[in-house]
Amino acid sequence: RMVMMSIGLLGKLPFHTVYLHAMVRDAHGRKMSKSLGNVIDPVEVIDGITLEDLNKKLYEGNLPDKEIEKAKKGQAQDYPNGIPECGADALRFGLLAYTLQG
């Protein structure tokens, strides 16, 4: 959509180089995966979410109870007060900074 909109409005591509990376990892070096319970929804970063609501989301998936407890401990360690509201610009900046790491 971004490419088509840019071509339609500006007559040029919005970017010339696209970097693809096969593996996204969390702060502890573990692969980010819904099955591990360590995935954060970008909307949660934009709008903010409490630790309790993060924990409740773990029950929406198909994690075994043992993995849910492990994920809860990880969330409590990484986000003791939940995720504060950051807005879309902060999310874009964070994603840009991540892609610049190479």
Side-chain angles (χ1 to χ4, degrees):
R1 288 187 270 172
M2 184 187 300
V3 171
M4 297 305 292
M5 188 76 143
S6 180
I7 289 172
L9 295 175
L10 304 173
K12 64 179 186 173
L13 291 172
F15 38 79
H16 297 282
T17 306
V18 176
Y19 297 99
L20 300 177
H21 191 277
M23 186 72 63
V24 178
R25 297 189 178 272
D26 67 6
H28 307 288
R30 295 175 301 177
K31 178 180 124 178
M32 290 194 78
S33 166
K34 287 187 280 186
S35 62
L36 292 176
N38 63 349
V39 176
I40 300 298
D41 185 349
V43 174
E44 295 166 357
V45 176
I46 294 170
D47 296 337
I49 189 168
T50 64
L51 179 60
E52 292 78 24
D53 288 338
L54 275 173
N55 289 340
K56 286 178 190 173
K57 284 187 168 255
L58 293 172
Y59 292 98
E60 294 173 7
N62 59 350
L63 288 174
D65 290 339
K66 182 178 176 183
E67 290 298 321
I68 287 176
E69 291 307 314
K70 190 175 179 183
K72 277 183 170 181
K73 288 178 185 174
Q75 286 178 343
Q77 181 182 4
D78 293 340
Y79 311 106
N81 299 319
I83 300 173
E85 181 180 345
C86 295
D89 290 337
L91 180 63
R92 286 187 195 108
F93 179 77
L95 292 172
L96 177 64
Y98 178 77
T99 59
L100 292 176
Q101 292 176 4

